[in-house]
Amino acid sequence: MNTHALRSSPRTLPQLHHAHRAFSTSGVCAQEKLRIGYVPGQSVCHVPEAPPRAATQPCMPAHPTSSQHFATPLHFAQDRFGLSAHATLTPFPRGTGSMIEAFHRDNIDVGVGLTESWVAGMARDHARSHLPRKREWQRFHIASSYVESPLRWALTTGANRSDINGLAELQHGKAGVSRTGSGSHIMSMVLADQQKWFDPSGAPPFQVCVCGPFPELRQAVNSGRADFFMWEHYTTKKYWENGELKWIGEVPTPWNGWHIAVRGSQADPRVEEVLYPALREGLQLFKNDREAAISFITANMDYARADAEAWYDEVTYAPSLGKINGDGINAAIKSLRTAGFIQSGEVALQDLTSANA
């Protein structure tokens, strides 16, 4: 990973040839800023995660110094359409599971994360809520779809692992994951289910090795600590090409990739008043100006132009905010139940998505 100084700043971002306008809201200025968490990707620099037990999260830079390409419309909203006046963006390099912890500690109001991780985390919370002596924590609910297309999870091993050349060699090996319950963990179990690796005796299909974020996962498969890991296709691609890693295969999610979750069991009016108007503008700009989006990604994130173009042409964002993808969430529930993350009958769609659940 390149840890040198940033190649650009907000002043040097590509000039977008549009009549941009910042939205205005009535009475929002008097409210606390909306605290939005998101999953960063591979970047031109390292941005540390906010302290997990902080009472409030620090304001991070407005430009996407460590953003994943999926966050481009969110950063358009932040930089171009006035979201920065009413919200702060905080990256969570350890993924959606880390944002779930932040929800529990009341450190964020909104999270933009992986569908499968929200479902698994909320299912655990829902099951614990019925315990006689339950732990108290802040709840959250899924409020909107964000990315409608599936997420492409690539299977990767170390470049020097001549003993691993296909899926068959992964069974009974060591699966590297960023954290327990993370997307990389969940998808490794989805892979095992698809390959019919679960033994009727209950023996695990492979050993799970918690390694940490993306850089640590890359180190783990090259050192032999792990045999493989799963991560987003385009974020991993450059490391196959530079000889650090080796591609094994790919598993697309059987559901849409990303949803937006909101703190608490009640709707937060700031989401409708602050986030959605600006994000709609960001999504519209992304959709209507291909060159602006691709230039933004290549100037501020660690992606080659050809990869940014290929990803842009295949990604689909939600046509409207404030609506969930029920089919996608139900597909995630079904797969997670089969993979053992959710017990049979433990949770249903309305338990995850209703602001009054």
Side-chain angles (χ1 to χ4, degrees), residues 94-97 114 116-117 151 153 177-190 230-231 255 341:
R94 291 182 180 271
T96 308
L114 299 176
E116 60 270 23
S117 295
L151 188 67
W153 286 88
V177 305
S178 60
R179 63 187 295 120
T180 302
S182 66
S184 55
H185 185 192
I186 292 168
M187 287 305 298
S188 69
M189 294 303 173
V190 171
M230 300 181 70
W231 210 257
W255 48 78
F341 281 93

mmCIF file with all atom_site columns, all heavy atoms in Angstrom, residues 94-97 114 116-117 151 153 177-190 230-231 255 341:
data_model
loop_
_atom_site.group_PDB
_atom_site.id
_atom_site.type_symbol
_atom_site.label_atom_id
_atom_site.label_alt_id
_atom_site.label_comp_id
_atom_site.label_asym_id
_atom_site.label_entity_id
_atom_site.label_seq_id
_atom_site.pdbx_PDB_ins_code
_atom_site.Cartn_x
_atom_site.Cartn_y
_atom_site.Cartn_z
_atom_site.occupancy
_atom_site.B_iso_or_equiv
_atom_site.pdbx_formal_charge
_atom_site.auth_seq_id
_atom_site.auth_comp_id
_atom_site.auth_asym_id
_atom_site.auth_atom_id
_atom_site.pdbx_PDB_model_num
ATOM 1   N N   . ARG A 1 94  ? -12.044 -1.568  9.576  1.00 0.00 ? 94  ARG A N   1
ATOM 2   C CA  . ARG A 1 94  ? -12.288 -2.971  9.922  1.00 0.00 ? 94  ARG A CA  1
ATOM 3   C C   . ARG A 1 94  ? -13.658 -3.459  9.461  1.00 0.00 ? 94  ARG A C   1
ATOM 4   O O   . ARG A 1 94  ? -14.040 -4.603  9.719  1.00 0.00 ? 94  ARG A O   1
ATOM 5   C CB  . ARG A 1 94  ? -12.113 -3.187  11.425 1.00 0.00 ? 94  ARG A CB  1
ATOM 6   C CG  . ARG A 1 94  ? -10.672 -3.041  11.862 1.00 0.00 ? 94  ARG A CG  1
ATOM 7   C CD  . ARG A 1 94  ? -10.499 -3.315  13.345 1.00 0.00 ? 94  ARG A CD  1
ATOM 8   N NE  . ARG A 1 94  ? -9.108  -3.161  13.730 1.00 0.00 ? 94  ARG A NE  1
ATOM 9   C CZ  . ARG A 1 94  ? -8.195  -4.124  13.692 1.00 0.00 ? 94  ARG A CZ  1
ATOM 10  N NH1 . ARG A 1 94  ? -8.554  -5.331  13.288 1.00 0.00 ? 94  ARG A NH1 1
ATOM 11  N NH2 . ARG A 1 94  ? -6.958  -3.902  14.043 1.00 0.00 ? 94  ARG A NH2 1
ATOM 12  N N   . GLY A 1 95  ? -14.429 -2.589  8.785  1.00 0.00 ? 95  GLY A N   1
ATOM 13  C CA  . GLY A 1 95  ? -15.622 -3.050  8.108  1.00 0.00 ? 95  GLY A CA  1
ATOM 14  C C   . GLY A 1 95  ? -16.927 -2.809  8.848  1.00 0.00 ? 95  GLY A C   1
ATOM 15  O O   . GLY A 1 95  ? -16.996 -2.118  9.866  1.00 0.00 ? 95  GLY A O   1
ATOM 16  N N   . THR A 1 96  ? -17.972 -3.420  8.307  1.00 0.00 ? 96  THR A N   1
ATOM 17  C CA  . THR A 1 96  ? -19.320 -3.208  8.815  1.00 0.00 ? 96  THR A CA  1
ATOM 18  C C   . THR A 1 96  ? -19.470 -3.705  10.250 1.00 0.00 ? 96  THR A C   1
ATOM 19  O O   . THR A 1 96  ? -20.201 -3.098  11.047 1.00 0.00 ? 96  THR A O   1
ATOM 20  C CB  . THR A 1 96  ? -20.338 -3.913  7.899  1.00 0.00 ? 96  THR A CB  1
ATOM 21  O OG1 . THR A 1 96  ? -20.112 -3.515  6.538  1.00 0.00 ? 96  THR A OG1 1
ATOM 22  C CG2 . THR A 1 96  ? -21.762 -3.564  8.273  1.00 0.00 ? 96  THR A CG2 1
ATOM 23  N N   . GLY A 1 97  ? -18.797 -4.784  10.606 1.00 0.00 ? 97  GLY A N   1
ATOM 24  C CA  . GLY A 1 97  ? -18.864 -5.283  11.981 1.00 0.00 ? 97  GLY A CA  1
ATOM 25  C C   . GLY A 1 97  ? -18.400 -4.250  12.985 1.00 0.00 ? 97  GLY A C   1
ATOM 26  O O   . GLY A 1 97  ? -18.936 -4.149  14.101 1.00 0.00 ? 97  GLY A O   1
ATOM 27  N N   . LEU A 1 114 ? -22.204 -3.403  4.372  1.00 0.00 ? 114 LEU A N   1
ATOM 28  C CA  . LEU A 1 114 ? -22.556 -4.608  3.629  1.00 0.00 ? 114 LEU A CA  1
ATOM 29  C C   . LEU A 1 114 ? -23.882 -5.196  4.121  1.00 0.00 ? 114 LEU A C   1
ATOM 30  O O   . LEU A 1 114 ? -24.104 -5.328  5.326  1.00 0.00 ? 114 LEU A O   1
ATOM 31  C CB  . LEU A 1 114 ? -21.465 -5.658  3.772  1.00 0.00 ? 114 LEU A CB  1
ATOM 32  C CG  . LEU A 1 114 ? -20.079 -5.263  3.250  1.00 0.00 ? 114 LEU A CG  1
ATOM 33  C CD1 . LEU A 1 114 ? -19.070 -6.365  3.554  1.00 0.00 ? 114 LEU A CD1 1
ATOM 34  C CD2 . LEU A 1 114 ? -20.130 -4.976  1.759  1.00 0.00 ? 114 LEU A CD2 1
ATOM 35  N N   . GLU A 1 116 ? -25.015 -8.287  4.122  1.00 0.00 ? 116 GLU A N   1
ATOM 36  C CA  . GLU A 1 116 ? -24.928 -9.516  4.906  1.00 0.00 ? 116 GLU A CA  1
ATOM 37  C C   . GLU A 1 116 ? -24.466 -9.249  6.336  1.00 0.00 ? 116 GLU A C   1
ATOM 38  O O   . GLU A 1 116 ? -24.889 -9.922  7.285  1.00 0.00 ? 116 GLU A O   1
ATOM 39  C CB  . GLU A 1 116 ? -23.999 -10.533 4.232  1.00 0.00 ? 116 GLU A CB  1
ATOM 40  C CG  . GLU A 1 116 ? -22.563 -10.080 4.038  1.00 0.00 ? 116 GLU A CG  1
ATOM 41  C CD  . GLU A 1 116 ? -22.331 -9.388  2.712  1.00 0.00 ? 116 GLU A CD  1
ATOM 42  O OE1 . GLU A 1 116 ? -23.294 -8.856  2.125  1.00 0.00 ? 116 GLU A OE1 1
ATOM 43  O OE2 . GLU A 1 116 ? -21.161 -9.374  2.261  1.00 0.00 ? 116 GLU A OE2 1
ATOM 44  N N   . SER A 1 117 ? -23.594 -8.252  6.514  1.00 0.00 ? 117 SER A N   1
ATOM 45  C CA  . SER A 1 117 ? -23.114 -7.945  7.860  1.00 0.00 ? 117 SER A CA  1
ATOM 46  C C   . SER A 1 117 ? -24.188 -7.278  8.699  1.00 0.00 ? 117 SER A C   1
ATOM 47  O O   . SER A 1 117 ? -24.323 -7.562  9.895  1.00 0.00 ? 117 SER A O   1
ATOM 48  C CB  . SER A 1 117 ? -21.877 -7.048  7.775  1.00 0.00 ? 117 SER A CB  1
ATOM 49  O OG  . SER A 1 117 ? -20.800 -7.739  7.170  1.00 0.00 ? 117 SER A OG  1
ATOM 50  N N   . LEU A 1 151 ? -22.153 -7.680  -4.682 1.00 0.00 ? 151 LEU A N   1
ATOM 51  C CA  . LEU A 1 151 ? -20.739 -7.424  -4.427 1.00 0.00 ? 151 LEU A CA  1
ATOM 52  C C   . LEU A 1 151 ? -19.941 -8.639  -4.880 1.00 0.00 ? 151 LEU A C   1
ATOM 53  O O   . LEU A 1 151 ? -20.297 -9.779  -4.562 1.00 0.00 ? 151 LEU A O   1
ATOM 54  C CB  . LEU A 1 151 ? -20.507 -7.167  -2.940 1.00 0.00 ? 151 LEU A CB  1
ATOM 55  C CG  . LEU A 1 151 ? -19.096 -6.704  -2.552 1.00 0.00 ? 151 LEU A CG  1
ATOM 56  C CD1 . LEU A 1 151 ? -18.828 -5.319  -3.114 1.00 0.00 ? 151 LEU A CD1 1
ATOM 57  C CD2 . LEU A 1 151 ? -18.940 -6.694  -1.038 1.00 0.00 ? 151 LEU A CD2 1
ATOM 58  N N   . TRP A 1 153 ? -17.013 -10.911 -4.448 1.00 0.00 ? 153 TRP A N   1
ATOM 59  C CA  . TRP A 1 153 ? -16.013 -11.315 -3.462 1.00 0.00 ? 153 TRP A CA  1
ATOM 60  C C   . TRP A 1 153 ? -14.986 -12.231 -4.139 1.00 0.00 ? 153 TRP A C   1
ATOM 61  O O   . TRP A 1 153 ? -15.307 -13.340 -4.562 1.00 0.00 ? 153 TRP A O   1
ATOM 62  C CB  . TRP A 1 153 ? -16.671 -12.057 -2.307 1.00 0.00 ? 153 TRP A CB  1
ATOM 63  C CG  . TRP A 1 153 ? -17.434 -11.162 -1.374 1.00 0.00 ? 153 TRP A CG  1
ATOM 64  C CD1 . TRP A 1 153 ? -18.732 -10.787 -1.484 1.00 0.00 ? 153 TRP A CD1 1
ATOM 65  C CD2 . TRP A 1 153 ? -16.926 -10.537 -0.195 1.00 0.00 ? 153 TRP A CD2 1
ATOM 66  N NE1 . TRP A 1 153 ? -19.080 -9.967  -0.445 1.00 0.00 ? 153 TRP A NE1 1
ATOM 67  C CE2 . TRP A 1 153 ? -17.992 -9.796  0.364  1.00 0.00 ? 153 TRP A CE2 1
ATOM 68  C CE3 . TRP A 1 153 ? -15.685 -10.533 0.452  1.00 0.00 ? 153 TRP A CE3 1
ATOM 69  C CZ2 . TRP A 1 153 ? -17.855 -9.059  1.547  1.00 0.00 ? 153 TRP A CZ2 1
ATOM 70  C CZ3 . TRP A 1 153 ? -15.551 -9.797  1.620  1.00 0.00 ? 153 TRP A CZ3 1
ATOM 71  C CH2 . TRP A 1 153 ? -16.619 -9.074  2.150  1.00 0.00 ? 153 TRP A CH2 1
ATOM 72  N N   . VAL A 1 177 ? -9.949  -13.887 7.938  1.00 0.00 ? 177 VAL A N   1
ATOM 73  C CA  . VAL A 1 177 ? -11.076 -12.948 7.985  1.00 0.00 ? 177 VAL A CA  1
ATOM 74  C C   . VAL A 1 177 ? -10.620 -11.697 8.722  1.00 0.00 ? 177 VAL A C   1
ATOM 75  O O   . VAL A 1 177 ? -9.690  -11.740 9.539  1.00 0.00 ? 177 VAL A O   1
ATOM 76  C CB  . VAL A 1 177 ? -12.323 -13.561 8.666  1.00 0.00 ? 177 VAL A CB  1
ATOM 77  C CG1 . VAL A 1 177 ? -12.715 -14.866 7.981  1.00 0.00 ? 177 VAL A CG1 1
ATOM 78  C CG2 . VAL A 1 177 ? -12.100 -13.781 10.153 1.00 0.00 ? 177 VAL A CG2 1
ATOM 79  N N   . SER A 1 178 ? -11.283 -10.577 8.449  1.00 0.00 ? 178 SER A N   1
ATOM 80  C CA  . SER A 1 178 ? -10.868 -9.328  9.090  1.00 0.00 ? 178 SER A CA  1
ATOM 81  C C   . SER A 1 178 ? -11.271 -9.297  10.554 1.00 0.00 ? 178 SER A C   1
ATOM 82  O O   . SER A 1 178 ? -10.536 -8.784  11.400 1.00 0.00 ? 178 SER A O   1
ATOM 83  C CB  . SER A 1 178 ? -11.458 -8.131  8.353  1.00 0.00 ? 178 SER A CB  1
ATOM 84  O OG  . SER A 1 178 ? -12.877 -8.172  8.361  1.00 0.00 ? 178 SER A OG  1
ATOM 85  N N   . ARG A 1 179 ? -12.448 -9.841  10.870 1.00 0.00 ? 179 ARG A N   1
ATOM 86  C CA  . ARG A 1 179 ? -12.935 -9.917  12.245 1.00 0.00 ? 179 ARG A CA  1
ATOM 87  C C   . ARG A 1 179 ? -14.090 -10.914 12.284 1.00 0.00 ? 179 ARG A C   1
ATOM 88  O O   . ARG A 1 179 ? -14.704 -11.207 11.259 1.00 0.00 ? 179 ARG A O   1
ATOM 89  C CB  . ARG A 1 179 ? -13.379 -8.545  12.766 1.00 0.00 ? 179 ARG A CB  1
ATOM 90  C CG  . ARG A 1 179 ? -14.542 -7.963  11.987 1.00 0.00 ? 179 ARG A CG  1
ATOM 91  C CD  . ARG A 1 179 ? -14.866 -6.529  12.390 1.00 0.00 ? 179 ARG A CD  1
ATOM 92  N NE  . ARG A 1 179 ? -15.340 -6.437  13.755 1.00 0.00 ? 179 ARG A NE  1
ATOM 93  C CZ  . ARG A 1 179 ? -14.739 -5.723  14.700 1.00 0.00 ? 179 ARG A CZ  1
ATOM 94  N NH1 . ARG A 1 179 ? -13.641 -5.051  14.440 1.00 0.00 ? 179 ARG A NH1 1
ATOM 95  N NH2 . ARG A 1 179 ? -15.231 -5.667  15.915 1.00 0.00 ? 179 ARG A NH2 1
ATOM 96  N N   . THR A 1 180 ? -14.384 -11.436 13.449 1.00 0.00 ? 180 THR A N   1
ATOM 97  C CA  . THR A 1 180 ? -15.498 -12.366 13.593 1.00 0.00 ? 180 THR A CA  1
ATOM 98  C C   . THR A 1 180 ? -16.807 -11.674 13.220 1.00 0.00 ? 180 THR A C   1
ATOM 99  O O   . THR A 1 180 ? -17.095 -10.581 13.697 1.00 0.00 ? 180 THR A O   1
ATOM 100 C CB  . THR A 1 180 ? -15.580 -12.887 15.039 1.00 0.00 ? 180 THR A CB  1
ATOM 101 O OG1 . THR A 1 180 ? -14.347 -13.528 15.378 1.00 0.00 ? 180 THR A OG1 1
ATOM 102 C CG2 . THR A 1 180 ? -16.726 -13.872 15.194 1.00 0.00 ? 180 THR A CG2 1
ATOM 103 N N   . GLY A 1 181 ? -17.587 -12.306 12.343 1.00 0.00 ? 181 GLY A N   1
ATOM 104 C CA  . GLY A 1 181 ? -18.856 -11.738 11.912 1.00 0.00 ? 181 GLY A CA  1
ATOM 105 C C   . GLY A 1 181 ? -18.749 -10.712 10.811 1.00 0.00 ? 181 GLY A C   1
ATOM 106 O O   . GLY A 1 181 ? -19.748 -10.118 10.416 1.00 0.00 ? 181 GLY A O   1
ATOM 107 N N   . SER A 1 182 ? -17.561 -10.489 10.288 1.00 0.00 ? 182 SER A N   1
ATOM 108 C CA  . SER A 1 182 ? -17.362 -9.525  9.197  1.00 0.00 ? 182 SER A CA  1
ATOM 109 C C   . SER A 1 182 ? -17.860 -10.098 7.882  1.00 0.00 ? 182 SER A C   1
ATOM 110 O O   . SER A 1 182 ? -18.172 -11.292 7.776  1.00 0.00 ? 182 SER A O   1
ATOM 111 C CB  . SER A 1 182 ? -15.876 -9.182  9.073  1.00 0.00 ? 182 SER A CB  1
ATOM 112 O OG  . SER A 1 182 ? -15.146 -10.334 8.661  1.00 0.00 ? 182 SER A OG  1
ATOM 113 N N   . GLY A 1 183 ? -17.915 -9.260  6.852  1.00 0.00 ? 183 GLY A N   1
ATOM 114 C CA  . GLY A 1 183 ? -18.299 -9.738  5.533  1.00 0.00 ? 183 GLY A CA  1
ATOM 115 C C   . GLY A 1 183 ? -17.363 -10.824 5.034  1.00 0.00 ? 183 GLY A C   1
ATOM 116 O O   . GLY A 1 183 ? -17.806 -11.807 4.424  1.00 0.00 ? 183 GLY A O   1
ATOM 117 N N   . SER A 1 184 ? -16.067 -10.667 5.281  1.00 0.00 ? 184 SER A N   1
ATOM 118 C CA  . SER A 1 184 ? -15.106 -11.690 4.839  1.00 0.00 ? 184 SER A CA  1
ATOM 119 C C   . SER A 1 184 ? -15.345 -13.011 5.558  1.00 0.00 ? 184 SER A C   1
ATOM 120 O O   . SER A 1 184 ? -15.139 -14.090 4.981  1.00 0.00 ? 184 SER A O   1
ATOM 121 C CB  . SER A 1 184 ? -13.668 -11.201 5.064  1.00 0.00 ? 184 SER A CB  1
ATOM 122 O OG  . SER A 1 184 ? -13.450 -10.830 6.411  1.00 0.00 ? 184 SER A OG  1
ATOM 123 N N   . HIS A 1 185 ? -15.775 -12.954 6.809  1.00 0.00 ? 185 HIS A N   1
ATOM 124 C CA  . HIS A 1 185 ? -16.093 -14.170 7.566  1.00 0.00 ? 185 HIS A CA  1
ATOM 125 C C   . HIS A 1 185 ? -17.388 -14.799 7.050  1.00 0.00 ? 185 HIS A C   1
ATOM 126 O O   . HIS A 1 185 ? -17.450 -16.008 6.759  1.00 0.00 ? 185 HIS A O   1
ATOM 127 C CB  . HIS A 1 185 ? -16.227 -13.819 9.053  1.00 0.00 ? 185 HIS A CB  1
ATOM 128 C CG  . HIS A 1 185 ? -16.441 -15.000 9.945  1.00 0.00 ? 185 HIS A CG  1
ATOM 129 N ND1 . HIS A 1 185 ? -16.828 -14.874 11.262 1.00 0.00 ? 185 HIS A ND1 1
ATOM 130 C CD2 . HIS A 1 185 ? -16.337 -16.334 9.704  1.00 0.00 ? 185 HIS A CD2 1
ATOM 131 C CE1 . HIS A 1 185 ? -16.930 -16.084 11.798 1.00 0.00 ? 185 HIS A CE1 1
ATOM 132 N NE2 . HIS A 1 185 ? -16.645 -16.988 10.882 1.00 0.00 ? 185 HIS A NE2 1
ATOM 133 N N   . ILE A 1 186 ? -18.419 -13.975 6.916  1.00 0.00 ? 186 ILE A N   1
ATOM 134 C CA  . ILE A 1 186 ? -19.720 -14.479 6.458  1.00 0.00 ? 186 ILE A CA  1
ATOM 135 C C   . ILE A 1 186 ? -19.603 -15.117 5.081  1.00 0.00 ? 186 ILE A C   1
ATOM 136 O O   . ILE A 1 186 ? -20.100 -16.213 4.834  1.00 0.00 ? 186 ILE A O   1
ATOM 137 C CB  . ILE A 1 186 ? -20.752 -13.347 6.457  1.00 0.00 ? 186 ILE A CB  1
ATOM 138 C CG1 . ILE A 1 186 ? -21.064 -12.912 7.885  1.00 0.00 ? 186 ILE A CG1 1
ATOM 139 C CG2 . ILE A 1 186 ? -22.031 -13.768 5.732  1.00 0.00 ? 186 ILE A CG2 1
ATOM 140 C CD1 . ILE A 1 186 ? -21.845 -11.620 7.983  1.00 0.00 ? 186 ILE A CD1 1
ATOM 141 N N   . MET A 1 187 ? -18.905 -14.426 4.160  1.00 0.00 ? 187 MET A N   1
ATOM 142 C CA  . MET A 1 187 ? -18.824 -14.941 2.796  1.00 0.00 ? 187 MET A CA  1
ATOM 143 C C   . MET A 1 187 ? -17.985 -16.211 2.695  1.00 0.00 ? 187 MET A C   1
ATOM 144 O O   . MET A 1 187 ? -18.219 -17.044 1.820  1.00 0.00 ? 187 MET A O   1
ATOM 145 C CB  . MET A 1 187 ? -18.297 -13.864 1.858  1.00 0.00 ? 187 MET A CB  1
ATOM 146 C CG  . MET A 1 187 ? -19.301 -12.753 1.565  1.00 0.00 ? 187 MET A CG  1
ATOM 147 S SD  . MET A 1 187 ? -20.897 -13.348 0.930  1.00 0.00 ? 187 MET A SD  1
ATOM 148 C CE  . MET A 1 187 ? -20.369 -14.126 -0.614 1.00 0.00 ? 187 MET A CE  1
ATOM 149 N N   . SER A 1 188 ? -17.023 -16.393 3.597  1.00 0.00 ? 188 SER A N   1
ATOM 150 C CA  . SER A 1 188 ? -16.279 -17.658 3.588  1.00 0.00 ? 188 SER A CA  1
ATOM 151 C C   . SER A 1 188 ? -17.209 -18.816 3.933  1.00 0.00 ? 188 SER A C   1
ATOM 152 O O   . SER A 1 188 ? -17.087 -19.919 3.379  1.00 0.00 ? 188 SER A O   1
ATOM 153 C CB  . SER A 1 188 ? -15.098 -17.593 4.564  1.00 0.00 ? 188 SER A CB  1
ATOM 154 O OG  . SER A 1 188 ? -15.533 -17.559 5.913  1.00 0.00 ? 188 SER A OG  1
ATOM 155 N N   . MET A 1 189 ? -18.189 -18.572 4.813  1.00 0.00 ? 189 MET A N   1
ATOM 156 C CA  . MET A 1 189 ? -19.156 -19.610 5.159  1.00 0.00 ? 189 MET A CA  1
ATOM 157 C C   . MET A 1 189 ? -20.192 -19.806 4.054  1.00 0.00 ? 189 MET A C   1
ATOM 158 O O   . MET A 1 189 ? -20.661 -20.918 3.818  1.00 0.00 ? 189 MET A O   1
ATOM 159 C CB  . MET A 1 189 ? -19.836 -19.265 6.478  1.00 0.00 ? 189 MET A CB  1
ATOM 160 C CG  . MET A 1 189 ? -18.907 -19.284 7.671  1.00 0.00 ? 189 MET A CG  1
ATOM 161 S SD  . MET A 1 189 ? -18.084 -20.902 7.866  1.00 0.00 ? 189 MET A SD  1
ATOM 162 C CE  . MET A 1 189 ? -16.938 -20.524 9.194  1.00 0.00 ? 189 MET A CE  1
ATOM 163 N N   . VAL A 1 190 ? -20.535 -18.724 3.376  1.00 0.00 ? 190 VAL A N   1
ATOM 164 C CA  . VAL A 1 190 ? -21.415 -18.852 2.207  1.00 0.00 ? 190 VAL A CA  1
ATOM 165 C C   . VAL A 1 190 ? -20.724 -19.695 1.138  1.00 0.00 ? 190 VAL A C   1
ATOM 166 O O   . VAL A 1 190 ? -21.342 -20.559 0.500  1.00 0.00 ? 190 VAL A O   1
ATOM 167 C CB  . VAL A 1 190 ? -21.800 -17.463 1.659  1.00 0.00 ? 190 VAL A CB  1
ATOM 168 C CG1 . VAL A 1 190 ? -22.527 -17.585 0.322  1.00 0.00 ? 190 VAL A CG1 1
ATOM 169 C CG2 . VAL A 1 190 ? -22.679 -16.715 2.659  1.00 0.00 ? 190 VAL A CG2 1
ATOM 170 N N   . MET A 1 230 ? -11.222 -13.590 1.494  1.00 0.00 ? 230 MET A N   1
ATOM 171 C CA  . MET A 1 230 ? -12.171 -13.070 0.512  1.00 0.00 ? 230 MET A CA  1
ATOM 172 C C   . MET A 1 230 ? -12.297 -11.563 0.698  1.00 0.00 ? 230 MET A C   1
ATOM 173 O O   . MET A 1 230 ? -12.447 -11.080 1.820  1.00 0.00 ? 230 MET A O   1
ATOM 174 C CB  . MET A 1 230 ? -13.529 -13.760 0.661  1.00 0.00 ? 230 MET A CB  1
ATOM 175 C CG  . MET A 1 230 ? -13.454 -15.264 0.459  1.00 0.00 ? 230 MET A CG  1
ATOM 176 S SD  . MET A 1 230 ? -15.055 -16.103 0.603  1.00 0.00 ? 230 MET A SD  1
ATOM 177 C CE  . MET A 1 230 ? -15.893 -15.523 -0.879 1.00 0.00 ? 230 MET A CE  1
ATOM 178 N N   . TRP A 1 231 ? -12.234 -10.834 -0.430 1.00 0.00 ? 231 TRP A N   1
ATOM 179 C CA  . TRP A 1 231 ? -12.321 -9.367  -0.388 1.00 0.00 ? 231 TRP A CA  1
ATOM 180 C C   . TRP A 1 231 ? -12.896 -8.882  -1.717 1.00 0.00 ? 231 TRP A C   1
ATOM 181 O O   . TRP A 1 231 ? -12.939 -9.630  -2.697 1.00 0.00 ? 231 TRP A O   1
ATOM 182 C CB  . TRP A 1 231 ? -10.940 -8.766  -0.163 1.00 0.00 ? 231 TRP A CB  1
ATOM 183 C CG  . TRP A 1 231 ? -10.947 -7.458  0.577  1.00 0.00 ? 231 TRP A CG  1
ATOM 184 C CD1 . TRP A 1 231 ? -10.794 -6.200  0.057  1.00 0.00 ? 231 TRP A CD1 1
ATOM 185 C CD2 . TRP A 1 231 ? -11.108 -7.277  1.994  1.00 0.00 ? 231 TRP A CD2 1
ATOM 186 N NE1 . TRP A 1 231 ? -10.842 -5.260  1.051  1.00 0.00 ? 231 TRP A NE1 1
ATOM 187 C CE2 . TRP A 1 231 ? -11.042 -5.890  2.257  1.00 0.00 ? 231 TRP A CE2 1
ATOM 188 C CE3 . TRP A 1 231 ? -11.319 -8.150  3.062  1.00 0.00 ? 231 TRP A CE3 1
ATOM 189 C CZ2 . TRP A 1 231 ? -11.170 -5.358  3.540  1.00 0.00 ? 231 TRP A CZ2 1
ATOM 190 C CZ3 . TRP A 1 231 ? -11.433 -7.632  4.341  1.00 0.00 ? 231 TRP A CZ3 1
ATOM 191 C CH2 . TRP A 1 231 ? -11.363 -6.252  4.555  1.00 0.00 ? 231 TRP A CH2 1
ATOM 192 N N   . TRP A 1 255 ? -27.342 -11.434 -3.145 1.00 0.00 ? 255 TRP A N   1
ATOM 193 C CA  . TRP A 1 255 ? -28.193 -10.324 -2.726 1.00 0.00 ? 255 TRP A CA  1
ATOM 194 C C   . TRP A 1 255 ? -27.518 -9.020  -3.134 1.00 0.00 ? 255 TRP A C   1
ATOM 195 O O   . TRP A 1 255 ? -26.355 -9.012  -3.551 1.00 0.00 ? 255 TRP A O   1
ATOM 196 C CB  . TRP A 1 255 ? -28.409 -10.357 -1.201 1.00 0.00 ? 255 TRP A CB  1
ATOM 197 C CG  . TRP A 1 255 ? -27.126 -10.537 -0.441 1.00 0.00 ? 255 TRP A CG  1
ATOM 198 C CD1 . TRP A 1 255 ? -26.169 -9.599  -0.173 1.00 0.00 ? 255 TRP A CD1 1
ATOM 199 C CD2 . TRP A 1 255 ? -26.644 -11.765 0.131  1.00 0.00 ? 255 TRP A CD2 1
ATOM 200 N NE1 . TRP A 1 255 ? -25.123 -10.145 0.522  1.00 0.00 ? 255 TRP A NE1 1
ATOM 201 C CE2 . TRP A 1 255 ? -25.386 -11.475 0.733  1.00 0.00 ? 255 TRP A CE2 1
ATOM 202 C CE3 . TRP A 1 255 ? -27.153 -13.066 0.216  1.00 0.00 ? 255 TRP A CE3 1
ATOM 203 C CZ2 . TRP A 1 255 ? -24.633 -12.447 1.389  1.00 0.00 ? 255 TRP A CZ2 1
ATOM 204 C CZ3 . TRP A 1 255 ? -26.387 -14.015 0.865  1.00 0.00 ? 255 TRP A CZ3 1
ATOM 205 C CH2 . TRP A 1 255 ? -25.153 -13.711 1.440  1.00 0.00 ? 255 TRP A CH2 1
ATOM 206 N N   . PHE A 1 341 ? -25.041 -18.686 10.721 1.00 0.00 ? 341 PHE A N   1
ATOM 207 C CA  . PHE A 1 341 ? -24.960 -17.398 11.396 1.00 0.00 ? 341 PHE A CA  1
ATOM 208 C C   . PHE A 1 341 ? -26.285 -16.995 12.027 1.00 0.00 ? 341 PHE A C   1
ATOM 209 O O   . PHE A 1 341 ? -26.319 -16.166 12.929 1.00 0.00 ? 341 PHE A O   1
ATOM 210 C CB  . PHE A 1 341 ? -24.508 -16.305 10.415 1.00 0.00 ? 341 PHE A CB  1
ATOM 211 C CG  . PHE A 1 341 ? -23.032 -16.303 10.160 1.00 0.00 ? 341 PHE A CG  1
ATOM 212 C CD1 . PHE A 1 341 ? -22.497 -17.009 9.092  1.00 0.00 ? 341 PHE A CD1 1
ATOM 213 C CD2 . PHE A 1 341 ? -22.167 -15.610 10.994 1.00 0.00 ? 341 PHE A CD2 1
ATOM 214 C CE1 . PHE A 1 341 ? -21.136 -17.019 8.855  1.00 0.00 ? 341 PHE A CE1 1
ATOM 215 C CE2 . PHE A 1 341 ? -20.805 -15.621 10.762 1.00 0.00 ? 341 PHE A CE2 1
ATOM 216 C CZ  . PHE A 1 341 ? -20.280 -16.320 9.694  1.00 0.00 ? 341 PHE A CZ  1
#
